[in-house]
């Protein structure tokens, strides 16, 4: 396996050089797909801890693929292969993108296989820089470039926080085995928790550090967006599990999980709300990613809380919910991003108000998108339902913790998660309805071709995976036994019994295979009954048009005003709940008397993260700059005093750390 792993990384380096040359871009992506598949094989087989013959000056780099890293390596491969095939079927990218794409995959894989702190940070930073290059490569100026700069700032902040967390954990050395032998205690443990939440949390898009994600994901090319949403945010989730569960030890108190529960639930609610308010198809999916990452982090927080309260079976349920949802989300979100990438490539727009009716012109794309949307909406028996069912069951069991505050937080979180799941379903209905139903809104949409060839294969691969993961959720949970036991101990196990998801004896149960079989029998029975009662061939005729006016002769594609718009469909949610996520502002532009033009309603909104975090920080930075500018006019005596005071303060800090 070490040879295969080394071959995959050498292939990524060679493909990056080939991509930078601008030659054979198609083979760059096909080679990346092959190397990613090789990583998936390594993830399934595993690799014992191995010290490499090179590394930093203080020691050799170490790699390992244990059960936890293997699970995420498989997730990375499942998202990367269809993304690479889609990229190979797309027009050639800029050279910078061709060079950064294999490095992006290599950075994510290096983070997962790291067995020491230095290699972990190296892989994480490589992933961040390569993903920034992928965003910036297509935007020399404008909003895309600003999104790339914002993403780079958050990536730098994330890396600095993780370096601090690893530094606090590495009391005796940077190897993971050494860190496990000396878990943090007291203020060091609290500082590690805070730094991991800031570092990995900002990469995962937790509030209030989520503002970059709805801007950066849509700014990238569709295969890159699919990778960022399907795989990169899962790397942040993996770092959280590695640092907080594995390397910090099992003796941490139950309150450790509560910040994760609170931030996760808030992120899920805000992400689901924003997904109902955005008017860019890729921004809608990016906000849906926020919602799903919030659910996963909340599940991790529950697992930490239950572990601290010595409720190991419930900790297993919560951890299984997070890990299974990571796999499910990687499948259906990759699928949705690629489907809407095909729509953008073939129909020419990401604006829902310029699409519509594509189910007739692009049946393959519409079918795959419908499957992904149903799974994202967590409808049984599809994949999204099983993992979210586990999370809800874990929240319902919150009353088993003796601490009343934990019980109250679990009850409030249960209501908020239920609300987020409902809003996410509404967002998927809005997205699919605007893009694929109704009438085409432009001539190009009316003539758009369906995806074919390799692009169709890229759409079908995650679709088949999403279709299979629903009924086979218990089988996937069986594979999760290894990661759960590694993280929670040998007494832990995945919550399953045979082919059903079960919360122990007498607990709630869910049989996804039986649910799928019953649904198939009901649908098949209905089809047979209809055909038996109506043996004649179907005849087409006028149908109820849902309020559409018939198109006038001079407007062959219909009157756009007769179809609901993206902002109109989201208006009830925006006016009732939108203020929780954004600062909305509506203005009515009336026409002067006598003008035949229609009045226009203008709706604007700014994320609360900008108004509550970034704008105050920008004002503070400008104020500090003005104060620092005043230092230029000080006397030499004051400069010497300032230097001496700084030196004394640093010595006092060193003495304090040595005592601690």
């Amino acid at each position: 396996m070490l040879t295969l792993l080394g071959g995959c990384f050498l292939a990524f380096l060679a493909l990056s050089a080939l991509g930078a040359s601008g030659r054979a871009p198609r083979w760059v992506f096909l080679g990346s797909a092959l190397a990613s598949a090789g990583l998936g094989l390594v993830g399934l087989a595993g690799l014992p801890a191995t010290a490499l013959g090179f590394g930093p000056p203080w020691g050799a780099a170490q790699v390992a693929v244990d059960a936890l890293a293997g699970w995420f390596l498989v997730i990375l491969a499942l998202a990367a292969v269809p993304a690479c095939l889609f990229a190979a079927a797309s027009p050639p990218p800029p050279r910078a993108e061709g060079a950064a794409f294999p490095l992006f995959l290599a950075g994510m894989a290096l983070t997962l296989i790291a067995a020491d702190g230095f290699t972990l940070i190296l892989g994480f930073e490589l992933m961040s820089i390569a993903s920034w290059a992928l965003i910036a490569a297509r935007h020399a100026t404008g909003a895309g470039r600003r999104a790339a700069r914002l993403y780079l700032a958050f990536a730098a902040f994330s890396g600095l926080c993780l370096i601090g967390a690893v530094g606090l954990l590495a009391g005796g050395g940077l190897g993971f085995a050494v860190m496990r032998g000396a878990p943090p205690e007291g203020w060091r443990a609290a500082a590690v928790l805070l730094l991991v939440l800031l570092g990995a949390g900002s990469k995962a898009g937790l509030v209030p550090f989520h503002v970059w994600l709805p801007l950066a994901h849509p700014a990238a090319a569709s295969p890159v967006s699919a990778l960022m949403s399907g795989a990169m945010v899962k790397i942040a989730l993996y770092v959280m599990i590695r640092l907080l569960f594995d390397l910090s030890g099992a003796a941490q108190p139950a309150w450790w999980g509560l910040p994760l529960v609170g931030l996760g639930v808030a992120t899920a609610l805000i992400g689901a709300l924003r997904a109902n308010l955005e008017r860019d198809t890729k921004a809608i999916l990016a906000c849906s990613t926020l919602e799903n990452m919030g659910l996963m982090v909340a599940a991790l927080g529950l697992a930490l809380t239950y572990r601290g309260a010595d409720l190991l079976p419930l900790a297993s349920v919560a951890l299984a919910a997070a890990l299974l949802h990571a796999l499910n989300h990687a499948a259906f979100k990759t699928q949705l991003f690629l489907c809407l990438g095909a729509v953008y490539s073939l129909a020419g727009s990401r604006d829902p108000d310029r699409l519509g009716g594509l189910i007739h012109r692009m049946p393959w794309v519409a079918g795959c998108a419908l499957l992904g949307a149903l799974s994202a909406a967590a409808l049984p028996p599809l994949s999204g339902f099983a993992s979210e069912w586990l999370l809800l069951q874990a929240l319902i069991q919150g009353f088993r913790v003796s601490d009343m505050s934990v019980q109250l937080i679990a009850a409030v979180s249960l209501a908020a998660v239920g609300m987020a799941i409902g809003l996410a379903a509404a967002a998927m209905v809005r997205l699919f309805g605007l893009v694929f139903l109704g009438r085409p809104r432009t001539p190009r949409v009316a003539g758009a071709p369906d995806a074919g060839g390799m692009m169709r294969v890229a759409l079908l691969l995650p679709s088949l995976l999403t279709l299979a993961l629903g009924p086979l959720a218990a089988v996937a949970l069986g594979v999760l036994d290894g990661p759960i036991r590694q993280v929670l101990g040998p007494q832990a196990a995945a919550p399953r019994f045979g082919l059903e998801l079960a919360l122990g004896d007498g607990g709630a149960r869910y049989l996804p295979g039986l649910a799928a079989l019953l649904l198939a029998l009901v649908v098949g029975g209905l089809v047979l009954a209809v055909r038996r009662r109506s043996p004649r061939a179907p005849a087409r005729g006028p149908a109820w048009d849902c309020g559409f006016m018939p198109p006038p002769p001079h407007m062959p594609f219909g009157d756009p005003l007769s179809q609901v718009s993206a902002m109109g469909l989201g208006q009830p949610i925006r006016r009732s709940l939108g203020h929780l996520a954004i600062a909305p502002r509506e203005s009515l532009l009336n026409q002067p008397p006598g003008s035949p033009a229609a009045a226009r309603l203008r709706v604007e909104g700014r994320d609360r993260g900008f108004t509550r975090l970034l704008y105050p920080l920008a004002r503070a930075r400008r104020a500090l700059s003005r104060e620092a500018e005043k230092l230029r006019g000080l006397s030499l005596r004051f400069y010497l005093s300032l230097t001496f005071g700084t030196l004394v303060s640093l010595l006092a800090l060193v003495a304090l750390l040595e005592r601690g």
Side-chain angles (χ1 to χ4, degrees):
M1 282 299 116
L2 185 61
T3 305
L4 178 58
L5 189 64
C8 293
F9 276 91
L10 288 177
F12 283 133
L13 293 177
L15 291 169
S16 176
L18 184 61
S21 71
R23 289 177 292 181
R26 187 183 178 94
W27 288 104
V28 171
F29 296 113
L30 291 177
S32 297
L34 194 60
S36 301
L39 290 175
L41 290 177
V42 175
L44 290 174
L47 179 71
T50 305
L52 302 179
F54 52 88
W58 54 84
Q62 302 176 48
V63 297
V65 180
D66 52 19
L68 181 63
W71 177 259
F72 281 90
L73 213 51
V74 169
I75 290 176
L76 170 60
L78 292 176
V81 170
C84 292
L85 294 180
F86 190 94
S90 302
R95 288 186 179 185
E97 186 174 320
F101 193 91
L103 294 180
F104 182 40
L105 294 170
M108 288 191 283
L110 186 60
T111 308
L112 294 177
I113 66 170
D116 67 274
F118 173 79
T119 310
L120 179 81
I121 296 297
L122 180 65
F124 198 84
E125 291 304 300
L126 177 60
M127 172 186 75
S128 297
I129 294 173
S131 53
W132 165 78
L134 287 169
I135 299 170
R138 295 201 174 213
H139 304 279
T141 57
R145 196 68 173 189
R146 290 193 294 275
R149 280 199 297 268
L150 182 65
Y151 171 64
L152 185 62
F154 273 94
F157 173 75
S158 173
L160 288 175
C161 291
L162 287 181
I163 288 172
V166 170
L168 287 173
L169 286 168
L174 282 173
F176 286 172
V178 178
M179 293 184 191
R180 289 189 192 99
E185 298 176 354
W187 71 267
R188 282 180 58 223
V192 167
L193 174 63
L194 177 63
L195 289 171
V196 171
L197 278 178
L198 292 175
S202 59
K203 180 65 76 178
L206 295 186
V207 293
F209 307 104
H210 65 287
V211 290
W212 65 269
L213 198 148
L215 300 175
H217 283 208
S222 295
V224 179
S225 301
L227 273 177
M228 292 177 75
S229 197
M232 186 184 78
V233 291
K234 310 302 184 306
I235 304 300
L237 196 72
Y238 164 81
V239 171
M240 273 190 200
I241 300 174
R242 179 66 74 186
L243 297 186
L244 295 182
F245 283 81
D246 184 21
L247 302 182
S248 294
Q252 303 302 338
W255 69 262
W256 253 45
L258 297 183
L260 276 77
V261 174
L263 290 176
V265 170
T267 304
L269 196 54
I270 288 177
L273 267 174
R274 284 204 55 181
N276 283 280
L277 307 180
E278 296 291 338
R279 53 175 301 173
D280 181 302
T281 53
K282 289 174 75 175
I284 293 172
L285 294 183
C287 292
S288 168
T289 295
L290 287 179
E291 182 252 343
N292 285 281
M293 288 305 298
L295 296 181
M296 290 177 232
V297 173
L300 288 185
L302 275 179
L304 276 172
T305 301
Y306 286 140
R307 188 180 72 171
D310 290 331
L311 296 170
L312 209 54
L314 291 181
S316 303
V317 174
L319 185 60
L323 295 176
L324 184 61
H325 200 60
L327 174 65
N328 293 334
H329 179 253
F332 68 70
K333 193 49 64 70
T334 301
Q335 173 186 353
L336 284 171
F337 263 112
L338 296 184
C339 286
L340 292 178
V343 168
Y344 178 59
S345 175
L346 301 171
S349 180
R350 293 179 0 210
D351 185 354
D353 291 341
R354 298 185 61 80
L355 298 170
L358 285 173
I359 195 170
H360 303 291
R361 298 297 309 173
M362 307 173 76
W364 282 95
V365 177
C368 294
L370 179 61
L371 188 61
L374 292 177
S375 188
L379 292 184
L382 295 173
S383 59
F385 178 79
S387 45
E388 294 187 8
W389 180 84
L390 283 174
L391 172 60
L392 291 174
Q393 293 299 325
L395 283 168
I396 290 172
Q397 300 298 322
F399 70 91
R400 296 187 184 278
V401 181
S402 58
D403 192 335
M404 179 67 78
S405 60
V406 176
Q407 295 178 11
L408 290 175
I409 290 173
V412 173
S413 300
L414 178 63
V417 166
M419 187 175 176
I421 292 173
L423 287 169
M428 289 300 115
V429 171
R430 175 173 173 262
L431 175 66
F432 189 83
L434 288 170
V435 175
F436 294 101
L437 303 183
R439 283 199 298 260
R441 291 176 172 87
T442 62
R444 180 167 179 181
V445 171
D450 200 2
M454 195 179 298
M455 186 177 287
R456 183 180 296 181
V457 174
L459 301 183
L460 286 176
L461 285 178
S463 303
L464 294 174
L465 182 63
T466 298
L467 197 60
L469 283 175
L472 300 178
V475 178
L477 277 181
V479 181
L480 271 175
D481 262 339
I484 289 175
R485 285 182 177 141
Q486 177 192 342
V487 171
L488 297 178
Q491 296 83 14
R496 73 182 184 101
F497 182 77
L499 291 178
E500 63 181 5
L501 281 63
L503 273 69
D505 297 335
R509 293 170 182 270
Y510 168 55
L511 288 84
L514 181 60
L517 180 62
L518 288 177
L519 189 63
L521 288 176
V522 169
V523 173
L526 284 174
V527 171
L528 289 177
V530 168
R531 286 192 174 181
R532 188 164 185 174
R533 290 183 60 86
S534 304
R536 295 180 181 176
R540 290 181 177 273
W544 179 54
D545 54 8
C546 302
F548 285 4
M549 291 189 301
H554 64 282
M555 300 180 77
F557 301 105
D559 185 356
L561 294 179
S562 69
Q563 294 198 64
V564 66
S565 66
M567 299 306 292
L569 198 54
Q571 178 173 297
I573 293 177
R574 185 180 69 250
R575 289 189 170 175
S576 58
L577 299 169
H579 62 280
L580 296 175
I582 61 173
R585 187 173 59 185
E586 295 186 3
S587 57
L588 182 62
L589 305 177
N590 287 313
Q591 302 299 327
S595 171
R600 298 183 67 84
L601 178 65
R602 185 173 182 179
V603 180
E604 296 175 318
R606 200 64 171 166
D607 193 289
R608 296 279 183 195
F610 281 98
T611 56
R612 301 280 176 82
L613 177 67
L614 293 187
Y615 292 162
L617 282 177
R619 287 194 293 271
R621 180 184 60 82
R622 287 194 292 271
L624 283 175
S625 300
R626 286 193 296 270
E627 295 300 320
E629 190 68 21
K630 296 178 181 176
L631 294 177
R632 299 175 63 182
L634 297 179
S635 63
L636 179 61
R637 179 183 301 173
F638 192 89
Y639 278 127
L640 292 174
S641 302
L642 192 62
T643 306
F644 181 73
T646 304
L647 180 61
V648 171
S649 301
L650 288 175
L651 290 174
L653 179 62
V654 170
L656 184 65
L657 291 176
E658 286 185 348
R659 285 181 59 189

